[in-house]
């Protein structure tokens, strides 16, 4: 069963990140095009280098989506470039198959002269990103002539920019890279060059879920919890392997739209006003827009129906029992259990007794499926232990990121 076609992962990634800042996403695509041209000019035909460098170029500013520097970043004047470079490096190292390759992101604004002690390949590819990034910013923001860019690069040769990357840029310039940046067809071609195989597609889809942390880390651990609770419950209820897999991905995608919800609403303690609640509820619609046409239909329905209730009182469609399948009903229960019983930054976790009392109350009101709540009650302790364990690697990754972020920042500022 194909959950998501590998070509569609990048579409999902772009649509999600566009909800934070479209300028930054478009900038990434352009840098990707220039880097692909530079690799071509470099005579690099190693498919795995081309793939990793394309992804690094596309995501090179990913650390900026969580900071307030977005407005400064897209301008040519550079203020503090370290914060997003460090965060981007750590994020991609932890949550993608790029591993230590992600270090090129750490240095994508670093002067060539400051990198003399770094390994040769790291220097080479960081400089490639640095040069491509400046060329795109020059093209989009500075809007002065190519000749002036040439002089800018020449002035910085051997000091700010490596001689090799300037030479590569010159070859690209001659072959028309600058004008290709204005051609939507060329940009689409850069994106759809069959980058990912199946297992990488799954890994990058998981990375997309981790980008929700730019808004709210607890939403990511909540999502991990729903995935684990959903699959465990499904297995206990005897659902097929295929259905369990659909539930796993449905759970993974269920709150993706929260990437477009303001943090002040996402992590607000206490009751939301009716206006805030309306904005909060939009997350399901946004999830739908992000995954539209990209994932398996059954998976999409599981993801997008997690706030529907059997008696028609849910949202966004107000569907009722005759419309909702068992896996869809099950995810609703898994979502509530994770929301109540796994602690969030703004509220303490509920006890098992309190959580079950709420679930049974909801059954009495005709909102939830009794058979599912009954299974949840029977296997509650085991399921919650597993859910907690499933979140642990993510919590540890956040701890590593926070600790290393501060340490690296100290070295550079
Ligand atoms: Fe940057
Ligand atoms: Fe939700
Ligand atoms: Fe949720």
């Amino acid at each position: 069963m194909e959950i998501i076609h590998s070509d569609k992962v990048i579409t999902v990634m772009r649509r999600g990140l566009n909800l934070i800042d479209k300028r930054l996403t478009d900038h990434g695509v352009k840098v990707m095009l220039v880097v692909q041209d530079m690799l071509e000019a470099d005579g690099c035909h190693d498919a795995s280098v081309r793939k990793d460098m394309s992804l690094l170029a596309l995501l090179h500013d990913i650390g900026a989506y969580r900071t307030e520097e977005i407005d400064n970043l897209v301008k040519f004047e550079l203020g503090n470039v370290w914060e997003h470079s460090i965060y981007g490096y750590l994020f991609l190292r932890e949550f993608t198959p790029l591993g230590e390759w992600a270090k090129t992101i750490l240095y994508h604004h670093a002067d060539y002269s400051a990198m003399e002690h770094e390994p040769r390949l790291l220097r080479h590819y960081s400089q490639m990103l640095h040069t491509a990034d400046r060329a795109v910013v020059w093209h989009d923001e500075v809007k002065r002539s190519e000749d002036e860019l040439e002089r800018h690069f020449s002035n910085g040769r051997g000091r700010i920019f490596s001689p090799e990357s300037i030479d590569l840029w010159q070859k690209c310039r001659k072959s028309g890279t600058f004008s290709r940046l204005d051609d939507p067809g060329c940009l689409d071609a850069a994106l759809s060059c069959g980058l990912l195989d199946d297992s990488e597609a799954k890994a990058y889809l998981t990375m997309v879920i981790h980008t929700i942390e730019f808004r709210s880390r607890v939403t990511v651990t909540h999502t991990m919890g729903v995935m684990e609770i959903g699959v465990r419950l499904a297995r206990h209820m005897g659902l097929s392997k295929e259905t369990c897999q659909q539930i796993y991905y449905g759970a993974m995608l269920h709150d993706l739209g929260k990437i477009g919800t303001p943090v002040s609403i996402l992590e607000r303690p206490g009751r939301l006003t009716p206006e805030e609640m309306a904005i909060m509820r939009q997350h399901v619609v946004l999830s739908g827009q992000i995954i539209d046409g990209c994932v398996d239909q059954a998976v999409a329905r599981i993801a997008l129906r997690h706030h529907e209730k059997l008696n028609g009182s849910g949202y966004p469609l107000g569907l009722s029992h005759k419309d909702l399948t068992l896996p869809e009903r099950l995810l609703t229960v898994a979502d509530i259990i994770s929301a109540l019983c796994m602690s969030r930054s703004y509220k303490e976790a509920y006890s098992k007794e309190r959580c079950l009392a709420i679930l049974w109350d909801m059954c009495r009101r005709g909102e939830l499926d009794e058979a599912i709540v009954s299974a949840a009650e029977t296997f509650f302790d085991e399921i919650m232990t597993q859910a907690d364990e499933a979140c642990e690697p993510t919590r540890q990754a956040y701890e590593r990121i926070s600790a290393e972020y501060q340490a690296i920042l100290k070295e550079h500022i």
Side-chain angles (χ1 to χ4, degrees), residues 40 382 389:
E40 190 70 41
E382 181 216 309
E389 269 175 31

Side-chain angles (χ1 to χ4, degrees), residues 24 27 60-62 64 73 78 81 84-85 105 108-109 133-134:
L24 216 45
H27 170 72
H60 74 282
D61 276 333
I62 197 157
L73 257 182
L78 296 171
V81 294
H84 79 280
S85 304
I105 299 296
H108 79 277
H109 287 291
D133 174 73
R134 289 301 92 192

Side-chain angles (χ1 to χ4, degrees), residues 219 222-223 226 251 254-255 258 283 306-307 331 334-336 338-339 344:
T219 301
H222 161 71
T223 299
V226 180
H254 85 284
D255 273 344
K258 286 189 178 172
H283 78 273
H306 71 278
H307 287 295
L331 201 75
D335 180 48
I336 297 169
S338 173
R344 297 193 167 191

Side-chain angles (χ1 to χ4, degrees), residues 386-400:
Q386 301 287 351
D388 223 48
E389 269 175 31
C391 293
E392 201 43 37
T394 301
R395 289 198 199 102
Q396 286 174 6
Y398 289 151
E399 274 171 30
R400 273 194 302 275

Side-chain angles (χ1 to χ4, degrees), residues 145-162:
S145 71
E146 283 185 55
D147 289 336
E148 282 174 282
L149 174 61
E150 197 76 46
R151 276 197 291 283
H152 175 68
F153 279 154
S154 296
N155 288 339
R157 190 181 176 95
R159 188 171 47 87
I160 301 172
F161 304 102
S162 71

